[in-house]
Amino acid sequence: MNPYLKDFPILNTKRDGKRLVYLDNAATTQKPDSVLRAVDDYYRSSNANPHRGLYGLSIRATQMYEDARSAVRKFINAEKDSEVLFTRNASESLNLVAYSYGMHFIGEGDEIALPVSEHHSNLLPWQMVAKAKGAKLVYLYPDKNGRLPQKELDKIGPKTALVAVAQVSNVLGTVYPVEEIVRRAHAAGAVVVLDCAQSIPHYPVDVKKLDVDFAAFSGHKMLAPMGIGVLYGKEDLLNKMPPFLTGGEMIEYVSEQDATFAPLPQKFEAGTQNVGGAVGLAAAIDYIQKVGYDTIMKTEEELLAYTLDGLSKLPHITVYGDTKAGEQRCGVVSFNVDGVHPHDVASILDSDGVAIRAGHHCAQPLMKYLGVNATCRASLYFYNTKEDIDIFLESLKKVRGWLGLGA
Ligand SMILES: Cc1ncc(COP(=O)(O)O)c(C=O)c1O
């Protein structure tokens, strides 16, 4: 019995009499009681507009918001609270870097290097920059195991101004060699934007050790509510970047024709902020730390090996990326069933209470590279069990039969 299951109310509910087997954790994770309670408590006892009021309740809301920032700073081992910006999600964080850094510090002839597996959120912002500034997108192509060969990493060179990379691919589950990418990028004088959306729920992320220039992630993929995300940026870079969004809270002084801006982090936090979300994120960090990354990684590696092994015994299944569990592989498994559209697979599994994802996973250039339009994707978290995987595999066995195709 998984000891954490009891903490997640939704995982203990039934749908049409069937237990929910939730294998769409790369899309969003479920929330433990402690996170739900923290958000509820905040709204019941401490809600006020932060940074604005001079009365006790607002000061308390401000304190909770800033405490959440400190919790994130410690969690990712950033140097200063001012290097931690709250956003709505990883997408907004990445857009912030593209619009505020990319549009001002990338120029004609510069290259932006990125794996072809990037989520659209770490690809489209760079397309916009490249188009606006006359820069070139240089793609790095993974091998059939989802790894980036040396010859692809060699594309990071003197013309590279920025490398955008996900620590973990949301389709292939590959853990990319971030340390090596950072070394090569910095040697070339380029900055590195790390998309941690799929890594930080599963692995510790130490921004100082990795020496990345920016790092982005979403709270909702790591047990926190939707609507809160983080951008880490090195202070010297954030200081020289202009604001992304403008409006209330982010100014120092405004005259009719001009404005000066607040210091970090307020310069990048225009308008009323999501204090409830930040409080929920701090509670999620607390929960993850209590479970411990060692336990999370060990549980998921066992579950991943079990899933890949089960899939390898089924006929008519193609798995994309590495078919073996290991250090360079996270619990995201993309696959297809011969002759069946992924949407049909997902619908049939749903009738057994199994929730998986089907589609292009916001990675259409990767789909094209893999020669498919879409895949099914089962993604794991530490609250999943071998029983979940058994139900998933049993349901999968029925798919072709349902559609009148041979077993
Ligand atoms: C690797 C990766 N980056 C970025 C994102 C975007 O996250 P969000 O939709 O929370 O902004 C996702 C979402 O699935 C993702 O998997």
Side-chain angles (χ1 to χ4, degrees):
M1 180 63 188
N2 185 313
Y4 306 107
L5 208 47
K6 65 176 185 339
D7 297 339
F8 293 80
I10 205 170
L11 299 175
N12 294 291
T13 56
K14 291 203 164 161
R15 274 143 224 249
D16 302 327
K18 292 185 185 103
R19 189 168 76 73
L20 172 65
V21 174
Y22 187 74
L23 298 177
D24 195 18
N25 294 291
T28 198
T29 59
Q30 299 302 346
K31 320 302 172 199
D33 266 322
S34 60
V35 168
L36 300 174
R37 258 195 324 269
V39 177
D40 188 63
D41 283 353
Y42 165 74
Y43 279 110
R44 283 177 194 279
S45 66
S46 312
N47 177 54
N49 204 314
H51 293 136
R52 288 188 193 180
L54 296 173
Y55 52 92
L57 199 60
S58 174
I59 292 167
R60 183 169 157 73
T62 306
Q63 191 58 50
M64 290 175 83
Y65 184 63
E66 292 305 324
D67 285 351
R69 195 190 308 279
S70 300
V72 174
R73 192 251 307 151
K74 287 185 203 135
F75 188 55
I76 61 172
N77 196 29
E79 185 74 30
K80 297 179 178 172
D81 282 6
S82 55
E83 294 178 318
V84 174
L85 313 180
F86 284 122
T87 62
R88 280 185 304 151
N89 46 41
S91 302
E92 186 176 298
S93 301
L94 294 161
N95 274 276
L96 191 162
V97 184
Y99 282 89
S100 183
Y101 181 86
M103 291 293 189
H104 295 90
F105 298 98
I106 289 184
E108 198 163 343
D110 281 345
E111 291 182 355
I112 299 171
L114 66 171
V116 76
S117 53
E118 287 310 296
H119 188 283
H120 294 164
S121 293
N122 199 25
L123 189 154
L124 289 170
W126 307 116
Q127 264 188 12
M128 303 295 275
V129 171
K131 280 188 185 152
K133 307 307 291 186
K136 187 177 161 201
L137 296 178
V138 173
Y139 284 99
L140 317 181
Y141 296 95
D143 64 18
K144 72 174 180 22
N145 286 326
R147 308 263 158 71
L148 289 173
Q150 289 296 316
K151 73 170 178 27
E152 295 300 314
L153 295 174
D154 286 346
K155 291 177 177 171
I156 301 170
K159 288 192 182 157
T160 314
L162 185 145
V163 182
V165 61
Q167 196 165 14
V168 169
S169 156
N170 67 310
V171 178
L172 302 171
T174 315
V175 182
Y176 285 130
V178 174
E179 275 108 333
E180 181 172 358
I181 289 173
V182 170
R183 223 178 306 114
R184 284 171 179 259
H186 286 174
V191 297
V192 177
V193 182
L194 185 67
D195 175 356
C196 316
Q198 296 295 348
S199 56
I200 202 162
H202 313 280
Y203 303 113
V205 172
D206 181 328
V207 292
K208 233 189 266 170
K209 190 161 155 238
L210 291 172
D211 197 23
V212 289
D213 301 286
F214 299 98
F217 57 94
S218 292
H220 71 92
K221 292 184 195 287
M222 49 169 289
L223 309 179
M226 292 186 182
I228 188 79
V230 169
L231 175 67
Y232 157 80
K234 283 184 180 162
E235 189 181 41
D236 56 331
L237 291 172
L238 292 176
N239 269 332
K240 71 178 192 180
M241 288 156 53
F244 172 42
L245 302 173
T246 52
E249 290 306 298
M250 46 74 66
I251 56 92
E252 184 183 59
Y253 186 75
V254 181
S255 63
E256 282 191 5
Q257 302 293 335
D258 211 353
T260 52
F261 302 115
L264 296 173
Q266 270 73 39
K267 182 172 97 174
F268 288 104
E269 293 184 358
T272 301
Q273 297 299 299
N274 182 0
V275 183
V279 167
L281 178 58
I285 288 174
D286 190 49
Y287 186 91
I288 286 175
Q289 285 175 329
K290 282 190 178 129
V291 176
Y293 273 121
D294 286 349
T295 303
I296 293 175
M297 290 189 291
K298 187 165 170 289
T299 309
E300 289 178 17
E301 194 172 330
E302 277 172 24
L303 280 176
L304 175 63
Y306 191 69
T307 308
L308 290 170
D309 185 54
L311 285 171
S312 74
K313 291 179 181 143
L314 299 185
H316 306 293
I317 302 278
T318 305
V319 171
Y320 300 93
D322 203 341
T323 52
K324 295 266 172 306
E327 269 182 15
Q328 293 173 336
R329 180 79 165 82
C330 197
V332 177
V333 183
S334 288
F335 62 94
N336 269 325
V337 180
D338 290 347
V340 187
H341 193 281
H343 286 176
D344 291 332
V345 178
S347 297
I348 294 170
L349 265 61
D350 182 46
S351 68
D352 283 332
V354 181
I356 63 158
R357 188 79 153 191
H360 54 65
H361 315 296
C362 303
Q364 282 184 325
L366 175 65
M367 294 292 124
K368 182 152 193 270
Y369 177 65
L370 294 174
V372 295
N373 289 321
T375 71
C376 306
R377 182 184 73 184
S379 51
L380 313 171
Y381 210 16
F382 63 91
Y383 45 59
N384 287 126
T385 60
K386 283 192 174 166
E387 193 198 349
D388 287 343
I389 306 305
D390 289 340
I391 296 171
F392 159 68
L393 293 169
E394 277 310 306
S395 187
L396 204 51
K397 277 185 205 163
K398 295 192 286 196
V399 166
R400 280 176 53 96
W402 260 62
L403 297 170
L405 299 167

